[in-house]
Amino acid sequence: MRVQSSATSASPIAVTVPRERPGLGTLQAALGVVAFSLTFPATAWGLEGFGPWALVAVRSVLAATIAGCCLFALRIPLPERGHRLGLAVVAAGVVLGFPLLSTLALETSTTAHAAVVVGLLPLTTAICSALRMGTRPSRTFWVAALAGAAAVLAFTVQQSGGALTAADGYLFAALLVCAAGYTEGGRLARVMPGWQVIGWALVLCLPLTVPAAALALSYEPVRLTAHSVAGVLWVAAGSQFLGLVVWYRGMAAVGVPKASQLQLAQPLLTLVWSVLLLGEHLTAAAPLAAAAVLVCIAVTQRSRS
């Protein structure tokens, strides 16, 4: 094969990842949502044996170990310089920010309450996508997304006795950083495989997470039980790596706004897990709020982007 002229070869080559079929992309994003719906119950299990700081650091190190082994085994080259800032945003939002803030919230909040608050994540992600990538969903999309967000806010205030708690503050901050990480990851997944996006973001955090894990484990007591081990393994392998792999692939295929609205189903799924795995008792408002956001999902998925 002939090499192009120096003038052409000197310019950077834009690499585009082949687009998945929309149906397959929706399925992959939905699998990511299922994986994420188990995050809060698994975190609650992990907190039975680990302190919050140790849990976050250990899960990140374990997930980075899995990702690093995959990158090394497949001899994946280092990401291009132009992608590294975006990977840092993914790392700050998805690898560090959301896990830490949500774990701190779960020390005083039930998983059912936290799950419905996180129902605001689709709206915040859609807004971040519009600001960062210039996406322009339809008016119907925005009306349905805002309706879902309103249902979540009403539930949150009702459950908190008319006032927001410190746990709600942690959760709302987690929404913002996670939405930024999702948006940037969805953008990068269009030019590099989704699993490499989260893989490199995890590896990028190792200089922080390894010493953080060592320090946290030395200060916070650890009590290994079947629940705590299963919890930390799931949030590391399932939520932090495998779930994000299919999630970013799905976002690249169907677009960040539409994929993000599938997460409106996440609160309902987490409510089911919180009952089955944790034995939590739900108030009547929880399933009603979750059902309301499910209706909003159907509308956003049928609306034109």
Side-chain angles (χ1 to χ4, degrees):
M1 191 170 98
R2 296 182 63 86
V3 179
Q4 295 179 342
S5 66
S6 59
T8 302
S9 60
S11 60
I13 299 175
V15 178
T16 303
V17 175
R19 297 294 295 273
E20 302 278 4
R21 297 191 304 274
L24 180 58
T26 300
L27 175 61
Q28 290 174 324
L31 289 175
V33 170
V34 173
F36 300 153
S37 70
L38 280 160
T39 299
F40 285 171
T43 300
W45 273 7
L47 286 172
E48 292 180 13
F50 293 86
W53 296 90
L55 178 60
V56 172
V58 168
R59 69 180 275 186
S60 297
V61 171
L62 290 176
T65 301
I66 297 171
C69 290
C70 293
L71 293 168
F72 178 79
L74 296 174
R75 299 182 179 180
I76 304 299
L78 290 172
E80 297 178 14
R81 186 179 298 273
H83 297 157
R84 293 176 188 175
L85 180 58
L87 289 172
V89 173
V90 175
V94 177
V95 178
L96 299 177
F98 184 82
L100 177 59
L101 291 166
S102 60
T103 299
L104 292 173
L106 285 173
E107 286 199 291
T108 57
S109 171
T110 65
T111 59
H113 178 83
V116 180
V117 174
V118 171
L120 286 172
L121 184 56
L123 178 62
T124 54
T125 302
I127 293 173
C128 282
S129 175
L131 295 174
R132 177 69 176 91
M133 302 169 62
T135 55
R136 294 292 181 267
S138 67
R139 182 177 299 178
T140 302
F141 175 96
W142 285 116
V143 170
L146 287 169
V152 171
L153 280 173
F155 169 82
T156 303
V157 173
Q158 186 269 336
Q159 290 288 286
S160 303
L164 298 180
T165 65
D168 291 325
Y170 283 131
L171 290 169
F172 287 132
L175 293 178
L176 294 177
V177 297
C178 190
Y182 278 173
T183 299
E184 199 63 24
R187 184 187 69 81
L188 288 173
R190 293 183 173 183
V191 295
M192 60 190 297
W195 77 271
Q196 292 183 27
V197 174
I198 185 57
W200 284 119
L202 286 163
V203 171
L204 183 67
C205 291
L206 278 174
L208 293 175
T209 55
V210 169
L215 184 62
L217 289 172
S218 66
Y219 278 93
E220 294 180 339
V222 175
R223 185 169 60 90
L224 297 181
T225 64
H227 275 182
S228 64
V229 172
V232 74
L233 288 178
W234 176 258
V235 292
S239 303
Q240 193 114 46
F241 184 61
L242 297 177
L244 285 167
V245 168
V246 292
W247 176 243
Y248 282 138
R249 286 176 66 92
M251 284 199 294
V254 301
V256 174
K258 275 203 168 185
S260 69
Q261 297 311 299
L262 290 172
Q263 280 198 298
L264 286 170
Q266 188 172 321
L268 180 59
L269 291 172
T270 302
L271 292 178
V272 173
W273 300 131
S274 69
V275 173
L276 295 178
L277 300 178
L278 304 175
E280 291 186 359
H281 299 286
L282 303 181
T283 63
L288 288 176
V293 297
L294 276 178
V295 173
C296 296
I297 286 181
V299 177
T300 58
Q301 293 304 299
R302 291 178 66 86
S303 67
R304 287 189 303 115
S305 298

